[in-house]
Amino acid sequence: MKIPRILIGAGSSGSGKTLITCGILQALVNRNKKVASFKCGPDYIDPMFHSKVIGTASRNLDTFFSGEEITRYLLQKNAAECEIAVLEGVMGYYDGVAGTTTQASAYDLARITGTPAVLIVNSRGMSVSLAAYIRGFLEYRSDSQIRAVIFNQMSPMLYPRMKKLVEDELGVRVLGYVPKVEDCVIESRHLGLVLPEEIPALQERLNRLAEILEKTLDMEGLLQLAEEAGELKEIPELSRISKDFTYRLPRPLRIGIADDEAFCFFYADNLDLLREMGAQLIPFSPVRDRTLPEELDGLLLYGGYPELNGAALEKNETMRESVRGRIQAGMPCMAECGGFMYLHEEMEDMDGVFRRMAGVIPGKVYRTGSLKRFGYIHLKDEKCGAYDQAPAHEFHYFESENCGTDLYAAKPSGSRGWACMHRTDTLFAGFPHLYYYGKPSVARQFLESCLTYHNRRKKKEV
């Protein structure tokens, strides 16, 4: 399949990848281009900004989660109808799993998908040294995939000279520069960038940035580079990778999914796979709705910022009682990170106040002030093959008195790991975030338990 595409990478975090990616996406949308966007790695928040620009869900591409074949499949599936796909890198261009490999790095994604990469170079405080810096990235891997560079925070007076120097000495295209744009900065906090809804006049900022980039970037050069991307390798049917991909419910089931300012971290492909298997996802708000929707067969509580909404979640006592009552009555529930925190008896919020939560899991969640567990893991489960070796990711500044001991989280390198997760026939809850395309039996196991609950509930009604 031929998909015009580019990857926007950088030498390190904080180099302006997300801001520049969003500005390029907005410029393409303003040109009436049909755009698909992707984020390399497990990040939830950057895709939210992409989605605000392009008007449809941005996706994650993560080679740790899904391997090479499924990663290429997801790129083809989600970019099939677009005119150009823009992939945003993660951290530094070569930074991958365990901090010592290139696996799951931006480079790894560019290599596996054959995507031309554009390196964002933070030029603050450098001139000729930029050439040495760029050469290092070009030559660190012979198949670096880096085809062009963009200078960030560069003055318009210096740019023509640096463009000539880099192109003459390194033979790599320079496709423009980004001046300092203070009024377009996106603020950060403990889990990364603030949410798009929290930024005043975000659309105005993005359009202002797009106008600047139309003047300072070679947009035609970017489009030409995207056209130079080769055809993607043919991949086998997913059923050959895992028969769980072919699972379909015998009847549609109604699955409640928490979706509001407190619970907003979703992998769009997770939701798509659940729908393909027969789930009808019914959104609700633990912050604003009084109770759970009626006739639910299962419950999904994903991550987000419950710690920023502790007072509102505590105040909504009828919702907390509804969640506790349905789960204790046997309704299946998958809860991860923020959703797991919500199921506890108490949770400390960002103001240091312990708030009453749903009360399904005994104990408290408390703030640590620093990252206690960070990065990729494999879940190990000796009793249930559906979860064993599921790839997952943790990133949280909170800890639980009762993390669970039913599974084990193993780091992908070395011997480090820890007990985690509460797993019963109907409850699967813990800090790890899971990606179902990496282990589709997780989605199947959940929906099969929902089907059992549905049948038992309907039998009682008769």
Side-chain angles (χ1 to χ4, degrees):
M1 179 180 289
K2 175 68 173 176
I3 297 174
R5 59 195 183 277
I6 54 172
L7 182 145
I8 308 296
S12 67
S13 295
S15 297
K17 288 191 302 292
T18 301
L19 186 66
I20 293 172
T21 298
C22 287
I24 290 172
L25 288 172
Q26 187 66 61
L28 292 170
V29 168
N30 292 349
R31 288 175 170 228
N32 296 316
K33 295 287 185 182
K34 190 170 183 181
V35 187
S37 69
F38 300 86
K39 172 67 180 180
C40 174
D43 185 270
Y44 288 101
I45 300 176
D46 290 356
M48 294 184 191
F49 283 90
H50 297 184
S51 298
K52 284 291 182 182
V53 177
I54 66 175
T56 188
S58 179
R59 312 288 173 143
N60 293 75
L61 293 173
D62 190 310
T63 57
F64 175 82
F65 281 158
S66 56
E68 295 191 11
E69 289 184 323
I70 294 177
T71 298
R72 285 194 292 267
Y73 165 81
L74 291 170
L75 174 57
Q76 292 186 42
K77 173 178 179 280
N78 293 313
E81 303 300 323
C82 77
E83 296 176 85
I84 182 172
V86 178
L87 290 60
E88 181 189 345
V90 59
M91 299 176 64
Y93 186 67
Y94 290 108
D95 297 337
V97 173
T100 57
T101 74
T102 60
Q103 182 190 4
S105 65
Y107 155 74
D108 199 35
L109 179 60
R111 177 185 63 83
I112 286 169
T113 60
T115 300
V118 180
L119 186 70
I120 303 298
V121 180
N122 191 333
S123 308
R124 185 177 179 182
M126 283 195 287
S127 58
V128 177
S129 295
L130 289 168
Y133 180 85
I134 295 165
R135 184 185 292 277
F137 280 90
L138 292 173
E139 297 182 357
Y140 182 69
R141 287 288 188 269
S142 59
D143 60 346
S144 73
Q145 309 298 319
I146 298 172
R147 301 291 181 264
V149 298
I150 290 173
F151 298 125
N152 189 23
Q153 297 197 69
M154 178 169 276
S155 74
M157 292 181 63
L158 181 60
Y159 173 68
R161 287 172 284 167
M162 292 313 304
K163 173 180 170 64
K164 185 177 188 308
L165 175 70
V166 168
E167 290 186 335
D168 288 350
E169 295 195 6
L170 304 182
V172 66
R173 281 173 275 187
V174 177
L175 295 180
Y177 71 99
V178 181
K180 194 170 183 179
V181 282
E182 292 182 352
D183 58 341
C184 296
V185 171
I186 302 174
E187 295 80 9
S188 298
R189 58 168 163 242
H190 62 293
L191 292 185
L193 300 176
V194 299
L195 300 181
E197 289 75 12
E198 300 175 75
I199 299 178
L202 174 61
Q203 193 58 57
E204 292 179 18
R205 293 193 192 191
L206 291 172
N207 275 312
R208 193 156 57 246
L209 177 60
E211 289 177 7
I212 293 170
L213 297 188
E214 281 283 4
K215 297 173 183 176
T216 65
L217 296 188
D218 180 0
M219 293 298 297
E220 298 302 327
L222 283 171
L223 291 169
Q224 177 58 41
L225 184 63
E227 290 289 345
E228 294 173 13
E231 290 190 7
L232 286 161
K233 294 180 181 178
E234 186 175 349
I235 59 171
E237 292 292 326
L238 290 185
S239 59
R240 287 176 54 193
I241 299 173
S242 172
K243 293 191 181 300
D244 291 309
F245 283 116
T246 66
Y247 175 72
R248 297 294 182 269
L249 287 163
R251 63 183 62 83
L253 297 181
R254 287 169 52 87
I255 310 297
I257 178 170
D259 184 1
D260 59 16
E261 58 269 36
F263 304 99
C264 51
F265 290 176
F266 309 111
Y267 292 131
D269 286 310
N270 276 1
L271 306 186
D272 284 351
L273 186 58
L274 290 171
R275 292 187 185 101
E276 289 169 12
M277 289 181 171
Q280 295 179 345
L281 300 181
I282 312 299
F284 71 95
S285 170
V287 171
R288 289 182 297 278
D289 295 336
R290 290 184 57 80
T291 62
L292 288 172
E294 295 299 321
E295 300 293 317
L296 291 184
D297 302 305
L299 183 62
L300 293 168
L301 298 169
Y302 290 124
Y305 282 117
E307 65 271 26
L308 296 177
N309 298 275
L313 291 170
E314 179 182 51
K315 185 178 179 181
N316 196 347
E317 185 175 355
T318 55
M319 175 58 78
R320 292 189 288 110
E321 290 175 351
S322 180
V323 169
R324 181 173 63 252
R326 299 274 191 99
I327 293 176
Q328 290 178 344
M331 187 174 70
C333 174
M334 278 208 299
E336 58 186 39
C337 205
F340 171 59
M341 292 162 61
Y342 178 66
L343 291 183
H344 282 69
E345 291 174 323
E346 291 186 44
M347 177 197 73
E348 184 181 7
D349 66 13
M350 290 299 289
D351 296 323
V353 179
F354 280 89
R355 304 288 185 177
R356 292 188 303 277
M357 292 291 112
V360 174
I361 294 174
K364 298 179 180 180
V365 174
Y366 56 93
R367 187 182 177 192
T368 64
S370 63
L371 275 173
K372 292 302 180 185
R373 297 198 182 96
F374 165 70
Y376 293 111
I377 55 174
H378 279 111
L379 296 178
K380 293 186 177 182
D381 187 348
E382 296 179 354
K383 297 180 180 179
C384 182
Y387 306 111
D388 193 43
Q389 295 304 312
H393 182 268
E394 288 198 33
F395 190 99
H396 49 92
Y397 285 77
F398 285 73
E399 189 56 278
S400 168
E401 296 176 338
N402 187 6
C403 283
T405 58
D406 294 313
L407 277 73
Y408 185 80
K411 296 297 288 183
S413 64
S415 59
R416 192 164 146 258
W418 51 86
C420 67
M421 308 301 295
H422 295 262
R423 181 181 60 74
T424 68
D425 290 340
T426 58
L427 180 65
F428 188 70
F431 276 114
H433 297 278
L434 283 84
Y435 190 77
Y436 304 156
Y437 271 91
K439 188 72 172 179
S441 56
V442 171
R444 176 174 182 166
Q445 178 81 10
F446 172 65
L447 292 181
E448 285 181 339
S449 66
C450 292
L451 180 62
T452 299
Y453 173 76
H454 171 90
N455 291 338
R456 186 169 65 247
R457 181 168 58 83
K458 290 300 182 183
K459 187 175 181 180
K460 286 182 179 179
E461 291 176 0
V462 174

